[in-house]
Amino acid sequence: MIQRIQSIFLLLAAVAGFCLLKFPFAETAKAVPISTIFQDGLYTIQDNPALMGLFLVGAALALGSIFLFKNRKLQLNLSRFSFIANLIGLILAIVLFFNDSKTLGVEEPNDGIGLYMPLAALVCLLLAMRFISKDEKMVRSMDRLR
């Protein structure tokens, strides 16, 4: 059923993933021409194709797994893959930022709302996986009673 609590968490994780297209991870007051990610003053997922791919795949998997409520094992596996994609994307974003922070000079980056979106997606995915597992255990226990 789509109205289950895990569906809401999966939807929130997908929304957080797709919001990264709009919101930057960080921004500087001025553009830094020698920087690879702050050339326009914003650090977004569009600055790196791997970041864009990982976060969009994670969001798409979370969105797609909402409709697999009849197959909880597949729903749980897709949620796990979405979690892994978001986690790798977050780690890659941090690594890219720290590698590029040496070229910023005096420009101090300010964190944006996009920095917190992958964390929100990870928390929502963990909660969704927990409730999917609970449902699976409940169905298995009901099968034993029959």
Side-chain angles (χ1 to χ4, degrees):
M1 292 181 248
I2 296 178
Q3 68 267 21
R4 308 290 299 189
I5 188 73
Q6 62 262 28
S7 298
I8 293 171
F9 286 128
L10 289 169
L11 180 66
L12 289 173
V15 166
F18 287 125
C19 280
L20 285 173
L21 289 170
K22 175 98 172 116
F23 298 115
F25 288 122
E27 56 188 305
T28 57
K30 295 186 306 187
V32 183
I34 59 171
S35 173
T36 57
I37 59 176
F38 285 105
Q39 287 178 347
D40 57 351
L42 296 174
Y43 177 30
T44 62
I45 64 171
Q46 289 92 353
D47 291 335
N48 190 315
L51 277 179
M52 183 180 281
L54 284 168
F55 284 121
L56 292 182
V57 163
L61 285 174
L63 187 64
S65 66
I66 292 172
F67 302 105
L68 297 172
F69 53 88
K70 290 184 180 180
N71 190 349
R72 283 175 299 282
K73 288 182 183 178
L74 181 60
Q75 187 180 36
L76 187 61
N77 284 336
L78 286 182
S79 299
R80 285 180 182 145
F81 289 136
S82 177
F83 182 83
I84 290 168
N86 278 307
L87 185 65
I88 292 171
L90 182 62
I91 292 169
L92 180 62
I94 292 169
V95 167
L96 289 173
F97 176 76
F98 281 118
N99 282 341
D100 197 60
S101 64
K102 298 169 188 137
T103 63
L104 291 178
V106 295
E107 287 298 319
E108 191 70 30
N110 299 321
D111 57 338
I113 194 167
L115 181 65
Y116 304 106
M117 291 294 170
L119 297 174
L122 290 174
V123 169
C124 288
L125 285 167
L126 280 175
L127 290 171
M129 288 187 291
R130 178 174 175 238
F131 283 107
I132 293 168
S133 296
K134 273 183 153 180
D135 273 0
E136 184 65 26
K137 286 178 186 175
M138 182 181 65
V139 168
R140 284 187 186 183
S141 72
M142 292 298 164
D143 285 344
R144 277 184 269 164
L145 293 176
R146 282 194 238 174

